[in-house]
Amino acid sequence: MATFSINSYTFSFNLPIFIFLFLAAKPISLFAQQALDNNPSFSPHIFLFGDARVEDGGSHVRLTWPHAPSSGLLLLDKPFKFADERNVGRPTSFAAEFSFSLSPGKGDGLAFVIIPNGFQTRFQDQGYFGLFGENRFLGIEFDTKKDDKVGDLNANHVGIDVGSLESVKVSNLSSLNLVLNNGEILKSWVDYDSSSKLLQVRLSKLNDKRPFTPILAYRIDLFEMWGNEDVFVGIISTTNEESSPSSSNVYSWRFRVRDVSSWMHSLPADPRGYVDKDSQEFRAERSNFCALTILAGLIFATGCGALLAFVMLFMWAILVNRHTVFPVECQAGPEDFRYEKVNVIVEKDDQGDKD
């Protein structure tokens, strides 16, 4: 008679679930990773999850497909900390640059996210951008769907999400003549300066230059938010049953952790006239910095000019004046003197003669 223990039955029952979770947490294909590693437009160590697939031999990545639901994640499998171990007093800064396109439709769009470890195992069942239910994340959403539940401005905006899908800062792209989901390739820059605790987001068409002023600027202390914890960065896109067919593609993504001195800020003027509170404060700060720089430059130039003039006068005195012959004052000759005979007439006093 065959016997089996409860423990062995439980193990055999849980084994398929364990294998499923293990495979779900792994990237789709090592060939896909190698294709991206050979593409200089992508940072190394990028893995694909969900529906993400490499297209055209590694030229770009398709995150979602024109069917619903669909979700894909690009994850940089190299964690970092906002606590700089080399300099505890100065947390880590970062800079991200990526290009993407969204096809016409009412998908969720695309989001650049900073997430805790383990997010990749559950993002496919988490709704919008895979972030629904998460309370510890930073997201930059390029949203093409208006959701009144989270207070979306419209179906063409960029928002900053902190632990919630309700954005803390929003930029209306329609006012900037930009459309997210018309199939055009766009380019975005996301920068965080730890010294000023300023997060900045820029967006332009692919062939345009990097904008001077961000479309969004928001003060946040990411060191206070994450501390010494390992965090990951990723790009995610999702669609759901309520979305119309759409697809999203990523053509490049470069991410680097950087160390910025406390006196350096990137705060140029906005050529499109977009201004928000944080941008105004930093614009004034940059103006003061530029005025001091110009004044210091003028003082330095004046000092250099004076020093150069002194050196030139000194060299002129040494090299030129030593050859100058000054006329010698003539001495008086004997012919310049003459003697004159003076006849002195002495009158005798008659009284004296008598004596």
Side-chain angles (χ1 to χ4, degrees):
M1 180 177 178
T3 60
F4 62 93
S5 66
I6 296 178
N7 291 335
S8 61
Y9 175 78
T10 303
F11 175 77
S12 62
F13 178 77
N14 290 334
L15 182 59
I17 299 177
F18 174 77
I19 294 175
F20 173 78
L21 293 176
F22 177 78
L23 293 177
K26 289 295 181 180
I28 292 174
S29 172
L30 293 177
F31 296 103
Q33 181 205 348
Q34 292 173 358
L36 291 181
D37 287 345
N38 294 329
N39 188 338
S41 299
F42 287 85
S43 293
H45 309 293
I46 291 179
F47 290 87
L48 286 68
F49 295 85
D51 295 330
R53 296 290 186 274
V54 173
E55 295 284 295
D56 297 335
S59 63
H60 67 278
V61 175
R62 177 168 289 190
L63 290 178
T64 57
W65 299 75
H67 63 78
S70 179
S71 58
L73 170 66
L74 276 178
L75 186 72
L76 183 60
D77 192 30
K78 190 177 180 181
F80 70 96
K81 302 176 187 292
F82 280 103
D84 190 349
E85 297 178 354
R86 298 168 300 174
N87 189 344
V88 180
R90 185 166 57 198
T92 301
S93 302
F94 70 82
E97 177 182 326
F98 55 94
S99 58
F100 65 94
S101 68
L102 301 172
S103 67
K106 296 182 179 179
D108 296 333
L110 178 143
F112 171 84
V113 292
I114 298 179
I115 48 180
N117 189 18
F119 172 83
Q120 63 271 25
T121 64
R122 57 183 182 270
F123 82 97
Q124 289 180 287
D125 301 322
Q126 298 267 100
Y128 302 121
F129 300 117
L131 299 172
F132 187 78
E134 296 284 334
N135 56 10
R136 296 184 64 245
F137 68 88
L138 172 70
I140 311 299
E141 62 173 34
F142 301 83
D143 202 345
T144 58
K145 183 179 179 181
K146 187 177 186 299
D147 188 355
D148 295 330
K149 296 178 182 179
V150 293
D152 282 344
L153 178 66
N154 56 22
N156 187 43
H157 68 271
V158 177
I160 298 177
D161 302 339
V162 183
S164 171
L165 292 173
E166 186 171 353
S167 301
V168 295
K169 209 70 173 289
V170 180
S171 174
N172 181 9
L173 296 183
S174 300
S175 63
L176 303 178
N177 297 322
L178 291 173
V179 179
L180 288 173
N181 61 344
N182 63 355
E184 186 177 13
I185 300 179
L186 303 175
K187 193 171 186 178
S188 179
W189 295 262
V190 179
D191 301 284
Y192 177 69
D193 180 19
S194 61
S195 62
S196 59
K197 299 178 178 58
L198 185 70
L199 177 69
Q200 300 179 86
V201 182
R202 293 174 171 83
L203 182 68
S204 72
K205 297 180 180 180
L206 179 63
N207 295 324
D208 291 348
K209 294 183 179 179
R210 173 187 166 104
F212 288 108
T213 291
I215 61 173
L216 284 175
Y218 182 69
R219 292 182 185 272
I220 182 172
D221 190 347
L222 295 181
F223 171 71
E224 182 179 354
M225 179 177 177
W226 295 103
N228 198 38
E229 182 179 350
D230 283 336
V231 294
F232 292 81
V233 292
I235 297 177
I236 189 172
S237 181
T238 58
T239 60
N240 54 51
E241 290 81 359
E242 300 176 358
S243 303
S244 59
S246 62
S247 61
S248 57
N249 301 282
V250 177
Y251 300 90
S252 66
W253 180 26
R254 304 293 299 179
F255 180 85
R256 69 181 185 276
V257 174
R258 57 192 178 93
D259 206 5
V260 181
S261 300
S262 59
W263 55 271
M264 293 180 63
H265 302 286
S266 177
L267 303 163
D270 184 0
R272 300 173 183 148
Y274 175 84
V275 179
D276 61 21
K277 182 178 178 180
D278 292 312
S279 297
Q280 283 180 331
E281 293 177 1
F282 268 75
R283 184 176 301 168
E285 188 175 319
R286 179 176 174 84
S287 299
N288 294 336
F289 175 75
C290 291
L292 292 176
T293 303
I294 294 173
L295 179 61
L298 290 175
I299 295 175
F300 179 76
T302 303
C304 291
L307 180 62
L308 180 62
F310 174 78
V311 171
M312 292 180 66
L313 289 174
F314 181 76
M315 297 301 294
W316 181 82
I318 294 177
L319 300 178
V320 179
N321 282 359
R322 70 176 184 176
H323 299 295
T324 303
V325 178
F326 293 96
V328 180
E329 186 176 346
C330 298
Q331 297 180 357
E335 63 275 7
D336 294 333
F337 295 91
R338 61 181 180 178
Y339 297 92
E340 293 183 1
K341 185 177 181 181
V342 179
N343 296 325
V344 179
I345 300 175
V346 180
E347 294 182 0
K348 294 183 179 182
D349 190 358
D350 294 338
Q351 185 66 26
D353 292 340
K354 290 180 180 182
D355 295 336

